[in-house]
Amino acid sequence: MDMRQPRSWTAIWLVVGLLDAALATGGGRVEAVPGNRQKCANDGEPVITRFDPEIVTCFPCVCKNGLVECKNTCPKTDGCHLVVTDGCCKVCKGCNYKGVAYASHTDWSEPANPCKVMRCEAGVVTISDMHCYTPCPNPLPPEPGKCCPTCSVCKFNGQVVAEDRDVVSEDDPCLKCRCSRGRLTCAKRSCPVLQCSRAMQERAPGECCPRCNGTRAILLVPNTCPIQRSFFREGQALKLDKCIECACVNSTSVCTRSACPILECAPELQRTFPAHCCPTCIQQPTDELISQCHYAGHAYEDGNVWKLDACSSCECHDGKVSCARIRCNTTCAAGMKQINVEGECCPQCVELEGACMAFGDPHYKTFDGKIYTFKAMGRYQLVEQCGAGNNASAFSIKVANYATPHYMDSPITKRVAISYGGARLNLQQRLRVKYNGRRVGLNFERAGQFALRKLPEGVEVRLHNGVVVVWNGRSFLEVTAPAAFKGRLCGLCGNFNGDLQDELRLRSGKTVGDKDVGAFGASWCVGKRAECAQKPKTTRRTHGDVGACKHLNGRDFGACESQLSNTKYYKACKMDMFNCAHGKCYCESLTAYSRECERLGVQLPPNWLKNSRCDARSLRQSHARATSRPSTSTTKERLSKLLHQAARGQQPGAGHARQPIPIQ
């Protein structure tokens, strides 16, 4: 076979080179399109778009956090230099090997020879041999269909390797060990031949193989194989360098690459000669056996093992230090988050906790994210463990909603009652806290029950079961429940089952719609029924300045706009300001929105409270002014009422008892 590059393909080679140059200078990058995400009303519901049905299949849209989110179901093409179209998706070109189609990034081996491995990478199949390494004495024979012997214990350099984790040698990052079903297997493989040119290849520190930078889509010519900066015909061979030989078979570049053996000498004693593909050890002459190692200023005896950190360890062997690092590659699925465990190398994935909030006049955000308004006086079950009965370990949180002159006699959450493990905590206005009927300080703890902690803008109660309650001493309340309580809760905070469609579930178990919020709330009344049935009295007082809600659209919250719609919080804010006496009723909606933004990972400016005049000092001043100086409209109303009563011969101040009005 002709190993030279054919002259008739010079023009095609030039086109590929120009494409490479365009990508290298940024010509192949797609700039972000400016604009705002579309808002939506019902979280969790699919959003119907007017795109072609095939495109909708690849990019289904749902309402999430009040914003339309279209998920890209197409596979990623990062680093692919042979992108092709498959339906409405751009995908990395696969390979055809011996009549079988393989997707890009796929590994396989032949049953008759498991030590010979193949990998498909953007239309290129790389064939190489696997080299085995056994870091333990008396290894077990290879398992059926496998190449390498295994160790019966998952340990490397003295450190335990967790299941499905990789350990990589720092001397030779291509040597990788993996623990599977309690057995450790170590092997070294050659890197796949890449489709991109060498100028577009990058090797990250500590990585074995390089990767392609950017992406590339080129015009494919029938019966040819593109590879790097070359095209060659079907059946033709091409030698890329002294270690790689390729042939064009079924429009797939099939390349054979020499795999380098595992060397026992230190990296500084390795050298690659011009005529060879792999490095070899340069023996250092010595008359005595070296039984000590020196590392970071310390001396270690032969066989010593020491840890560098939670992920790295080293071993001294025949005067050579060998270090290895556990590779985590932890990726959490949707609805999960990473947490770091003390003493552990890799983070763990745990389910996200749920957060319920009550704020303002009063509005509620359930654990599953539904926001609704339920204006009613009385005592209500905010959250409890459903069906727990008299279980002492169960927890219960009740709220007392009563009228306040600050909200023009509309109800707000004024008190919070927490029951757990025989303890009764009562959170009151102005951060007064009672434990079993006795007032306590804001830094108070009972082992096995709860811990109170003073916050800059409130108080935190952390129950022993992981539930956390935050109260600002006015009308903002937040309850955070661990994922262990999913599907086990009920009350005004919903059932925490991840389904937004059944949030309004009555105590009887029946689910109602948004028009029956009043019936839903009333079913969770735990106080006097007549009190819960009362509707807040209406007033004719001057309305507050709803323009103060503009803070939600201000610079302090700008970083959150693309993550969470503020529409419902803005609506709640306007409702609160409509009947606001002290002018700062907007602060509860701002607090609720900020908490959700921070939960989504958005870093808000630390001084946003002060900028919006919602800090504790500003609020105290506003409340003091509202209490000491009644509004002009309020004074006129009282004077008019007294004159009216006097004209009718009634005793001033007399009036008819307010009749209970059903909640709407």
Side-chain angles (χ1 to χ4, degrees):
M1 289 187 293
D2 184 9
M3 303 294 288
R4 296 171 299 174
Q5 181 173 303
R7 292 184 179 180
S8 58
W9 299 100
T10 303
I12 299 177
W13 179 90
L14 179 61
V15 172
V16 176
L18 290 172
L19 284 168
D20 272 349
L23 287 170
T25 57
R29 297 174 184 168
V30 178
E31 297 296 331
V33 179
N36 297 319
R37 292 173 61 185
Q38 184 68 38
K39 294 183 179 181
C40 51
N42 301 317
D43 275 12
E45 290 188 358
V47 177
I48 306 301
T49 61
R50 290 179 291 178
F51 292 115
D52 184 272
E54 187 179 40
I55 295 178
V56 174
T57 303
C58 293
F59 302 94
C61 301
V62 296
C63 185
K64 183 177 180 182
N65 296 327
L67 299 170
V68 177
E69 182 173 284
C70 298
K71 186 177 181 181
N72 184 356
T73 60
C74 298
K76 292 184 178 181
T77 58
D78 298 346
C80 179
H81 274 241
L82 195 53
V83 177
V84 296
T85 302
D86 182 13
C88 59
C89 289
K90 298 290 186 181
V91 300
C92 202
K93 188 178 185 302
C95 307
N96 191 319
Y97 183 75
K98 293 186 176 180
V100 180
Y102 296 93
S104 187
H105 318 309
T106 302
D107 297 283
W108 72 96
S109 62
E110 296 179 350
N113 187 3
C115 290
K116 187 175 289 295
V117 292
M118 279 69 70
R119 180 176 177 86
C120 172
E121 198 72 43
V124 180
V125 172
T126 303
I127 305 173
S128 62
D129 293 323
M130 183 183 295
H131 291 275
C132 301
Y133 176 73
T134 51
C136 59
N138 305 316
L140 301 173
E143 295 179 335
K146 302 294 183 181
C147 172
C148 297
T150 62
C151 296
S152 59
V153 179
C154 286
K155 275 191 173 183
F156 192 88
N157 276 10
Q159 63 179 328
V160 177
V161 182
E163 190 75 9
D164 293 328
R165 294 290 189 199
D166 292 333
V167 179
V168 179
S169 169
E170 294 192 353
D171 292 339
D172 187 353
C174 292
L175 174 59
K176 184 184 295 184
C177 301
R178 188 169 182 84
C179 179
S180 177
R181 292 177 298 173
R183 291 187 175 188
L184 187 72
T185 306
C186 300
K188 180 178 179 179
R189 300 171 57 177
S190 63
C191 294
V193 178
L194 299 180
Q195 184 65 255
C196 59
S197 63
R198 294 189 184 276
M200 300 296 294
Q201 296 179 16
E202 293 181 343
R203 188 194 305 268
E207 292 289 333
C208 167
C209 299
R211 296 181 180 181
C212 291
N213 180 27
T215 59
R216 181 182 68 171
I218 60 176
L219 178 65
L220 294 176
V221 181
N223 301 319
T224 65
C225 294
I227 186 166
Q228 296 184 5
R229 300 173 66 87
S230 303
F231 272 81
F232 59 118
R233 294 189 185 93
E234 185 76 21
Q236 200 172 25
L238 178 69
K239 189 165 185 176
L240 289 183
D241 57 34
K242 60 185 177 183
C243 304
I244 303 172
E245 292 187 3
C246 302
C248 183
V249 182
N250 293 327
S251 299
T252 296
S253 300
V254 180
C255 301
T256 302
R257 185 170 202 165
S258 302
C260 296
I262 300 167
L263 302 179
E264 294 291 339
C265 58
E268 59 268 19
L269 298 178
Q270 298 176 13
R271 183 179 300 175
T272 302
F273 293 96
H276 296 80
C277 294
C278 301
T280 56
C281 287
I282 306 300
Q283 296 296 329
Q284 190 176 49
T286 179
D287 298 329
E288 58 182 0
L289 182 66
I290 302 175
S291 60
Q292 257 194 356
C293 298
H294 295 274
Y295 185 88
H298 296 278
Y300 297 93
E301 299 299 323
D302 192 61
N304 283 172
V305 175
W306 64 97
K307 294 192 72 172
L308 298 178
D309 52 43
C311 295
S312 303
S313 63
C314 300
E315 182 180 15
C316 176
H317 181 67
D318 292 340
K320 174 180 175 285
V321 175
S322 174
C323 299
R325 170 173 286 272
I326 294 176
R327 181 168 293 170
C328 298
N329 298 327
T330 304
T331 303
C332 297
M336 308 284 284
K337 68 174 183 178
Q338 290 186 11
I339 61 168
N340 294 316
V341 181
E342 187 176 358
E344 295 289 332
C345 168
C346 299
Q348 296 180 1
C349 292
V350 297
E351 286 189 271
L352 288 170
E353 65 275 4
C356 171
M357 293 187 295
F359 58 98
D361 181 19
H363 317 284
Y364 300 90
K365 187 204 77 80
T366 67
F367 287 119
D368 292 330
K370 185 178 185 64
I371 298 177
Y372 66 93
T373 299
F374 174 56
K375 293 190 176 189
M377 292 185 287
R379 295 172 58 235
Y380 296 89
Q381 187 73 56
L382 184 74
V383 57
E384 68 174 344
Q385 289 178 247
C386 304
N390 296 322
N391 187 350
S393 63
F395 79 97
S396 168
I397 301 176
K398 299 180 176 70
V399 291
N401 298 344
Y402 290 107
T404 172
H406 294 160
Y407 276 83
M408 298 296 196
D409 295 327
S410 291
I412 64 168
T413 302
K414 296 195 74 172
R415 295 196 304 272
V416 184
I418 306 171
S419 300
Y420 172 67
R424 291 179 295 108
L425 281 169
N426 197 281
L427 312 181
Q428 302 176 346
Q429 293 288 297
R430 299 182 182 178
L431 296 180
R432 294 185 177 94
V433 179
K434 287 186 177 181
Y435 165 62
N436 289 347
R438 179 174 59 89
R439 187 167 176 181
V440 295
L442 297 185
N443 291 296
F444 183 73
E445 186 173 352
R446 278 288 178 266
Q449 290 183 331
F450 66 88
L452 274 171
R453 184 170 67 95
K454 176 72 173 68
L455 300 177
E457 298 291 333
V459 63
E460 176 190 88
V461 181
R462 190 173 291 271
L463 302 184
H464 189 63
N465 61 2
V467 173
V468 179
V469 180
V470 174
W471 169 246
N472 73 348
R474 295 183 300 274
S475 64
F476 176 83
L477 172 67
E478 179 187 71
V479 180
T480 305
F485 288 101
K486 272 195 169 181
R488 298 168 53 195
L489 303 178
C490 52
L492 296 181
C493 282
N495 53 23
F496 192 23
N497 67 349
D499 184 2
L500 278 169
Q501 308 307 314
D502 64 352
E503 285 298 83
L504 303 182
R505 183 173 292 179
L506 308 180
R507 188 182 287 274
S508 64
K510 179 183 176 181
T511 300
V512 297
D514 291 344
K515 294 182 179 180
D516 296 314
V517 167
F520 163 72
S523 75
W524 294 105
C525 174
V526 293
K528 297 178 181 179
R529 289 289 171 179
E531 189 179 48
C532 288
Q534 288 187 29
K535 181 179 178 180
K537 68 178 181 180
T538 58
T539 67
R540 296 182 181 179
R541 296 173 181 173
T542 303
H543 300 150
D545 180 16
V546 296
C549 298
K550 65 183 179 182
H551 290 289
L552 280 168
N553 296 320
R555 184 166 50 187
D556 286 342
F557 296 100
C560 194
E561 288 180 3
S562 63
Q563 301 292 320
L564 176 67
S565 172
N566 65 17
T567 300
K568 293 184 179 180
Y569 296 92
Y570 192 83
K571 182 179 179 181
C573 177
K574 290 199 298 182
M575 291 173 65
D576 292 349
M577 290 301 294
F578 197 71
N579 289 320
C580 185
H582 60 74
K584 292 297 179 66
C585 301
Y586 64 89
C587 292
E588 305 300 275
S589 295
L590 264 64
T591 300
Y593 186 67
S594 71
R595 298 288 289 187
E596 283 300 286
C597 291
E598 290 167 353
R599 224 182 312 279
L600 292 171
V602 179
Q603 295 292 327
L604 298 179
N607 57 345
W608 77 262
L609 281 165
K610 188 174 181 180
N611 292 344
S612 57
R613 298 189 63 79
C614 288
D615 55 301
R617 181 180 178 183
S618 298
L619 289 170
R620 282 195 301 268
Q621 292 173 350
S622 296
H623 287 189
R625 286 194 297 268
T627 304
S628 62
R629 294 201 308 259
S631 65
T632 303
S633 60
T634 302
T635 304
K636 289 181 179 179
E637 284 179 6
R638 289 179 179 174
L639 180 59
S640 177
K641 185 176 181 181
L642 289 172
L643 291 172
H644 182 68
Q645 289 175 340
R648 297 181 59 181
Q650 296 179 351
Q651 184 69 25
H656 297 287
R658 183 173 53 187
Q659 297 297 320
I661 302 175
I663 300 170
Q664 293 182 351

Coordinates of all heavy atoms in Angstrom, one line a residue, residues 164-201:
D164 N -15.8 1.7 42.4 CA -16.0 2.5 41.2 C -15.2 3.8 41.2 O -15.6 4.8 40.6 CB -17.5 2.8 40.9 CG -18.3 1.5 40.6 OD1 -17.7 0.6 40.0 OD2 -19.5 1.4 41.0
R165 N -14.1 3.8 41.9 CA -13.2 4.9 41.9 C -11.9 4.5 41.2 O -11.5 3.4 41.2 CB -12.8 5.4 43.3 CG -14.0 6.0 44.1 CD -14.4 7.3 43.6 NE -15.4 7.9 44.4 CZ -16.2 8.9 44.0 NH1 -16.1 9.3 42.8 NH2 -17.1 9.4 44.9
D166 N -11.2 5.5 40.6 CA -10.0 5.3 39.9 C -8.8 5.9 40.8 O -9.0 6.9 41.5 CB -9.9 6.1 38.6 CG -10.9 5.4 37.6 OD1 -11.2 4.2 37.7 OD2 -11.4 6.1 36.7
V167 N -7.7 5.2 40.7 CA -6.4 5.7 41.3 C -5.4 5.8 40.2 O -5.2 4.9 39.4 CB -5.9 4.7 42.4 CG1 -4.6 5.3 43.0 CG2 -6.9 4.5 43.5
V168 N -4.8 7.0 40.1 CA -3.9 7.3 39.0 C -2.5 7.5 39.5 O -2.3 8.3 40.5 CB -4.3 8.5 38.2 CG1 -3.4 8.8 37.0 CG2 -5.7 8.2 37.6
S169 N -1.5 6.9 38.9 CA -0.1 7.1 39.4 C 0.4 8.5 39.0 O 0.1 8.9 37.8 CB 0.8 6.0 38.7 OG 2.2 6.3 38.9
E170 N 1.0 9.2 39.9 CA 1.5 10.5 39.5 C 2.8 10.4 38.7 O 3.1 11.4 38.0 CB 1.8 11.3 40.8 CG 0.5 11.6 41.6 CD 0.7 12.6 42.7 OE1 1.8 13.0 43.0 OE2 -0.3 13.0 43.3
D171 N 3.5 9.3 38.7 CA 4.7 9.1 37.9 C 4.2 8.8 36.4 O 4.9 9.2 35.5 CB 5.5 8.0 38.4 CG 6.2 8.3 39.7 OD1 6.3 9.5 40.0 OD2 6.6 7.4 40.5
D172 N 3.2 8.0 36.3 CA 2.7 7.6 35.0 C 1.2 7.7 35.0 O 0.5 6.8 35.4 CB 3.1 6.2 34.7 CG 2.8 5.8 33.2 OD1 2.1 6.6 32.6 OD2 3.2 4.7 32.8
P173 N 0.6 8.9 34.6 CA -0.8 9.1 34.7 C -1.6 8.2 33.8 O -2.8 8.1 33.9 CB -1.0 10.6 34.3 CG 0.2 10.9 33.5 CD 1.3 10.1 34.1
C174 N -0.9 7.4 32.9 CA -1.6 6.5 32.0 C -1.8 5.1 32.7 O -2.6 4.3 32.2 CB -0.8 6.2 30.7 SG -0.8 7.7 29.6
L175 N -1.2 5.0 33.9 CA -1.4 3.8 34.7 C -2.6 4.0 35.6 O -2.5 4.9 36.5 CB -0.2 3.4 35.5 CG -0.3 2.3 36.5 CD1 -0.7 1.0 35.8 CD2 1.0 2.1 37.3
K176 N -3.7 3.3 35.5 CA -4.9 3.6 36.2 C -5.4 2.3 36.9 O -5.4 1.2 36.3 CB -6.0 4.1 35.3 CG -7.3 4.5 35.9 CD -8.3 4.9 34.9 CE -7.9 6.2 34.2 NZ -9.0 6.6 33.3
C177 N -5.8 2.4 38.1 CA -6.3 1.3 38.9 C -7.8 1.6 39.2 O -8.1 2.7 39.5 CB -5.5 1.0 40.2 SG -3.8 0.7 39.9
R178 N -8.6 0.6 39.2 CA -10.0 0.7 39.5 C -10.5 -0.4 40.4 O -10.2 -1.5 40.2 CB -10.8 0.8 38.2 CG -12.3 1.2 38.5 CD -13.0 1.5 37.1 NE -14.3 2.0 37.3 CZ -14.7 3.2 37.6 NH1 -13.8 4.1 37.7 NH2 -16.0 3.6 37.7
C179 N -11.4 0.0 41.4 CA -12.0 -1.0 42.3 C -13.4 -1.3 41.8 O -14.2 -0.4 41.6 CB -12.0 -0.4 43.7 SG -12.8 -1.6 44.9
S180 N -13.6 -2.6 41.6 CA -14.9 -3.0 41.1 C -15.3 -4.4 41.8 O -14.5 -5.3 41.8 CB -14.9 -3.2 39.6 OG -16.2 -3.7 39.2
R181 N -16.4 -4.4 42.5 CA -16.9 -5.5 43.3 C -15.8 -6.1 44.2 O -15.6 -7.3 44.4 CB -17.3 -6.6 42.3 CG -18.6 -6.3 41.5 CD -18.9 -7.3 40.5 NE -17.9 -7.5 39.5 CZ -17.9 -8.5 38.6 NH1 -18.9 -9.3 38.6 NH2 -16.9 -8.6 37.8
G182 N -15.1 -5.1 44.9 CA -14.2 -5.5 45.9 C -12.8 -6.0 45.4 O -12.0 -6.4 46.2
R183 N -12.6 -5.9 44.1 CA -11.3 -6.3 43.5 C -10.7 -5.1 42.8 O -11.3 -4.3 42.2 CB -11.5 -7.4 42.5 CG -11.9 -8.7 43.1 CD -11.9 -9.8 42.1 NE -12.1 -11.1 42.6 CZ -12.0 -12.3 42.0 NH1 -11.6 -12.2 40.7 NH2 -12.3 -13.4 42.5
L184 N -9.3 -5.0 42.9 CA -8.6 -3.9 42.3 C -7.9 -4.4 41.0 O -7.2 -5.4 41.0 CB -7.5 -3.4 43.3 CG -6.8 -2.1 42.8 CD1 -7.8 -0.9 42.8 CD2 -5.6 -1.8 43.7
T185 N -8.1 -3.7 39.9 CA -7.5 -4.0 38.6 C -6.7 -2.8 38.2 O -7.2 -1.7 38.1 CB -8.5 -4.4 37.6 OG1 -9.3 -5.4 38.1 CG2 -7.8 -4.8 36.3
C186 N -5.4 -3.0 37.8 CA -4.5 -1.9 37.3 C -4.1 -2.3 35.9 O -3.6 -3.4 35.6 CB -3.3 -1.8 38.2 SG -3.7 -1.4 39.9
A187 N -4.1 -1.3 35.0 CA -3.7 -1.5 33.6 C -3.3 -0.1 33.0 O -3.7 0.9 33.5 CB -4.8 -2.1 32.8
K188 N -2.5 -0.2 31.9 CA -2.1 0.9 31.2 C -2.5 0.7 29.7 O -2.3 -0.3 29.1 CB -0.6 1.1 31.3 CG -0.1 2.3 30.5 CD 1.4 2.5 30.7 CE 2.0 3.7 30.0 NZ 3.4 3.9 30.2
R189 N -3.1 1.8 29.2 CA -3.5 1.7 27.8 C -3.0 2.9 27.0 O -2.6 3.9 27.6 CB -5.1 1.8 27.7 CG -5.7 0.6 28.4 CD -7.2 0.8 28.5 NE -7.8 1.0 27.1 CZ -9.1 1.1 26.9 NH1 -10.0 1.0 27.9 NH2 -9.6 1.2 25.7
S190 N -2.8 2.8 25.7 CA -2.3 3.9 24.9 C -3.5 4.9 24.7 O -4.7 4.5 24.8 CB -1.8 3.4 23.6 OG -2.8 2.8 22.8
C191 N -3.1 6.1 24.4 CA -4.1 7.1 24.1 C -4.7 6.9 22.8 O -4.1 6.5 21.8 CB -3.5 8.5 24.2 SG -2.9 8.9 25.9
P192 N -6.0 7.3 22.6 CA -6.6 7.2 21.3 C -6.0 8.2 20.3 O -5.6 9.3 20.7 CB -8.1 7.4 21.5 CG -8.1 8.3 22.8 CD -6.9 7.8 23.6
V193 N -6.0 7.8 19.0 CA -5.6 8.8 18.0 C -6.8 9.8 17.8 O -7.9 9.4 17.7 CB -5.4 8.0 16.7 CG1 -5.0 9.0 15.6 CG2 -4.3 7.0 16.9
L194 N -6.4 11.1 17.8 CA -7.4 12.1 17.8 C -7.6 12.6 16.4 O -6.7 12.6 15.5 CB -7.0 13.3 18.7 CG -6.9 12.9 20.2 CD1 -6.5 14.2 21.0 CD2 -8.1 12.4 20.7
Q195 N -8.8 13.1 16.1 CA -9.2 13.6 14.8 C -8.6 15.0 14.6 O -8.3 15.4 13.4 CB -10.7 13.7 14.7 CG -11.2 14.1 13.4 CD -10.9 13.1 12.3 OE1 -10.0 13.4 11.4 NE2 -11.6 12.0 12.2
C196 N -8.3 15.8 15.6 CA -7.8 17.1 15.4 C -6.3 17.1 15.2 O -5.6 16.2 15.6 CB -8.1 18.0 16.7 SG -7.5 17.4 18.2
S197 N -5.8 18.2 14.7 CA -4.4 18.3 14.4 C -3.6 18.5 15.7 O -4.2 18.9 16.8 CB -4.1 19.5 13.5 OG -4.5 20.7 14.1
R198 N -2.3 18.3 15.8 CA -1.6 18.4 17.0 C -1.6 19.8 17.6 O -1.6 20.0 18.8 CB -0.1 18.0 16.7 CG 0.0 16.6 16.4 CD 1.5 16.1 16.3 NE 1.6 14.7 15.9 CZ 1.5 13.7 16.7 NH1 1.3 13.9 18.0 NH2 1.6 12.5 16.2
A199 N -1.8 20.8 16.7 CA -1.8 22.2 17.2 C -3.1 22.5 18.0 O -3.2 23.4 18.8 CB -1.8 23.2 16.0
M200 N -4.1 21.6 17.8 CA -5.4 21.8 18.5 C -5.6 20.9 19.7 O -6.6 20.8 20.3 CB -6.6 21.6 17.5 CG -6.6 22.5 16.3 SD -6.9 24.2 16.8 CE -8.5 24.1 17.5
Q201 N -4.5 20.1 20.0 CA -4.6 19.2 21.1 C -4.0 19.8 22.4 O -3.0 20.6 22.4 CB -3.8 17.9 20.8 CG -4.3 17.1 19.6 CD -3.5 15.9 19.3 OE1 -2.7 15.4 20.1 NE2 -3.8 15.4 18.1

